[in-house]
């Protein structure tokens, strides 16, 4: 582990990855313990990123992975395949905190997420407020110790989410902000195992 008193500005939100596929071999591990109060995470996913076989332990930051390009106009696809993400004492408790931009796609396949916090959002994605934007998320064969939350935001944007073969405490939608009242997410969920079939997560903790 490498530690700095103060990271340079371009590293403030983590290692920024874009237009790249990174395959982690079995036995390789990434560990980051860094207690910070600002918007920081070990990895920041830019556009067209594929992370395969990542084994990440993150402690003390905002997220384990930040995947938020919600004001980008350029189409992109970000993929997470066969990843294991463990977060501890994360400020937002999100193993992935994400936002989906215009014409963007997120793919999560055969991944394992544990934030160590009961009744919380283990993985969270929100829509964008770019007018008439459209995006989608495909999540398959993955495990979440807590909730998988899809958060509606913006006005005329739309997000389709497909969740299949996953296990979580709950899988559902909620507002991203208190004034996010337009339900612009369609959630299609099948063959999943969860403690409740409700798709309303409004009353759960952040």
């Amino acid at each position: 582990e490498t530690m700095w008193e103060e990271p340079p500005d371009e590293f403030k939100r983590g290692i920024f990855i874009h237009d790249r596929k990174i395959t982690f071999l079995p036995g390789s591990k990434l560990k980051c313990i860094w207690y910070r109060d600002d918007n920081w995470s070990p990895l920041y996913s830019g556009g067209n990123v594929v992370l395969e076989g990542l084994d990440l332990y993150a402690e003390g930051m905002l997220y384990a992975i930040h995947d938020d390009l919600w004001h980008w106009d350029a189409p992109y696809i970000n993929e997470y395949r066969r990843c294991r993400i463990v977060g501890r004492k994360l400020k937002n408790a999100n193993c992935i905190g994400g936002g989906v931009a215009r014409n963007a796609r997120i793919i999560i396949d055969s991944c394992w997420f544990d934030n160590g916090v009961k009744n919380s959002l283990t993985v969270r994605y929100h829509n964008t407020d770019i007018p008439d934007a459209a995006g989608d998320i495909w999540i398959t064969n993955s495990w979440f110790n807590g909730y998988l939350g899809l958060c509606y935001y913006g006005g005329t944007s739309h997000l389709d989410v497909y969740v299949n073969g996953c296990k979580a405490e709950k899988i559902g939608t909620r507002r991203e902000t208190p004034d996010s009242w337009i339900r612009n997410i369609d959630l299609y969920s099948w063959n999943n195992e969860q403690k409740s079939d409700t798709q309303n997560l409004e009353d759960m903790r952040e």
Side-chain angles (χ1 to χ4, degrees), residues 18-60:
H18 62 92
D19 301 298
R20 197 169 301 273
K21 178 179 180 179
I22 302 176
T23 301
F24 296 82
L25 296 178
S28 61
K29 297 181 183 297
L30 179 61
K31 182 177 181 181
C32 185
I33 301 174
W34 200 349
Y35 283 83
R36 299 189 60 86
D37 294 328
D38 54 10
N39 193 14
W40 202 86
S41 58
L43 299 177
Y44 196 118
S45 293
N48 301 312
V49 169
V50 180
L51 296 179
E52 183 168 354
L54 170 66
D55 189 339
L56 170 64
Y57 176 87
E59 180 180 325

Side-chain angles (χ1 to χ4, degrees), residues 119-164:
N119 304 320
S120 67
L121 287 170
T122 304
V123 169
R124 175 185 123 260
Y125 276 92
H126 62 76
N127 204 354
T128 181
D129 60 358
I130 297 176
D132 301 317
D136 59 30
I137 301 176
W138 297 78
I139 304 176
T140 56
N141 303 321
S142 295
W143 183 86
F144 308 83
N145 74 294
Y147 301 161
L148 169 60
L150 298 316
C151 304
Y152 41 93
Y153 182 71
T156 60
S157 58
H158 186 79
L159 183 64
D160 288 319
V161 182
Y162 305 88
V163 184
N164 172 37

